[in-house]
Amino acid sequence: MPPDAGILIVDDHEDTLYALESALTPLGYRLTRATSGDQALKQVLRGHVGLLLLDVRMPGVGGLDVVRYMRKVAQTQHIPVLLLTGYGIDHHLSTAAFQLGVADLIAKPVDPWILRTKVRYLYDTHQRRLALERELRDLRARAHAQDAPRPGLPHPDAPAPPERHGAQGGAHAPERAGERVGECAGNRPGEREQLHRGRT
């Protein structure tokens, strides 16, 4: 979610939009509006919405339909939603809303102080959650980079190479070295015979 993600207010009545914007302006968040469910979905999918204030009953695509679609899309399924209704909060509406993960239901007319309190809490909590998720991803990436083997160096978990017993020839190297020393000292078979004849 972009750092400038704001609050999207959705209602099909201009006077309600104006009243909600007036109530939320003191919070200092960026406010945008939509007058239908279709407009709301388009704005949400653009990725600049940090909280949705949504009317339940609108012509065409209603509030519950918008939430139902949002929960099917990975980039929008965790955006907090406050549902507004001017027809009372009954058991059927509450059950359907909370099953879709709606944060809360608010009856119209809205108390500005209650609305600001709920919006501030939900918006800030969601932003902190996103910040923690980004920090966790960064920590995992750094840990993975540290565990990766460096060029030219064996991995710490790689098996050790077999131990070598000598520069060349393995365990027989000392014997071969002794033979070379003997040859250098004139102990080759032909030279030994010549030396023996010369002495006799």
Side-chain angles (χ1 to χ4, degrees), residues 9 19 22 25 40 44 52 56 65 70 74 84-85 94-95 111 115-116 119 126 135 140 146 152 167 177 187:
I9 305 171
S22 299
T25 296
V44 167
L52 192 62
V56 173
D65 295 327
M70 289 173 57
L84 303 173
T85 177
S94 300
T95 301
D111 183 301
L115 180 63
R116 284 193 294 268
V119 166
H126 184 55
E135 184 177 355
R140 287 175 175 172
Q146 291 176 356
N187 291 329

Side-chain angles (χ1 to χ4, degrees), residues 22-182:
S22 299
L24 296 178
T25 296
L27 295 178
Y29 302 136
R30 186 177 63 85
L31 304 176
T32 56
R33 59 162 63 186
T35 57
S36 68
D38 288 330
Q39 291 181 11
L41 285 174
K42 290 178 181 178
Q43 293 197 42
V44 167
L45 291 174
R46 292 191 187 106
H48 293 273
V49 176
L51 183 142
L52 192 62
L53 198 59
L54 182 63
D55 188 26
V56 173
R57 295 191 182 183
M58 294 181 292
V61 180
L64 290 176
D65 295 327
V66 172
V67 180
R68 193 172 289 111
Y69 182 85
M70 289 173 57
R71 297 312 184 225
K72 296 179 182 179
V73 181
Q75 72 184 78
T76 63
Q77 62 184 357
H78 297 301
I79 295 176
V81 177
L82 282 172
L83 278 182
L84 303 173
T85 177
Y87 298 92
I89 301 174
D90 56 24
H91 176 72
H92 175 73
L93 175 60
S94 300
T95 301
F98 291 127
Q99 285 180 345
L100 290 172
V102 170
D104 205 352
L105 285 164
I106 301 178
K108 300 177 185 178
V110 177
D111 183 301
W113 185 86
I114 293 178
L115 180 63
R116 284 193 294 268
T117 301
K118 292 178 181 291
V119 166
R120 182 192 293 113
Y121 172 77
L122 291 172
Y123 183 90
D124 292 350
T125 300
H126 184 55
Q127 294 303 310
R128 285 194 297 268
R129 175 177 174 269
L130 293 177
L132 288 173
E133 289 178 352
R134 288 192 296 267
E135 184 177 355
L136 182 60
R137 286 194 298 269
D138 293 341
L139 289 174
R140 287 175 175 172
R142 287 198 292 268
H144 180 72
Q146 291 176 356
D147 291 340
R150 298 179 181 179
L153 295 177
H155 193 277
D157 298 331
E163 184 178 353
R164 302 182 64 182
H165 297 283
Q168 291 181 353
H172 301 289
E175 297 179 3
R176 295 178 181 176
E179 293 175 0
R180 288 195 295 270
V181 171

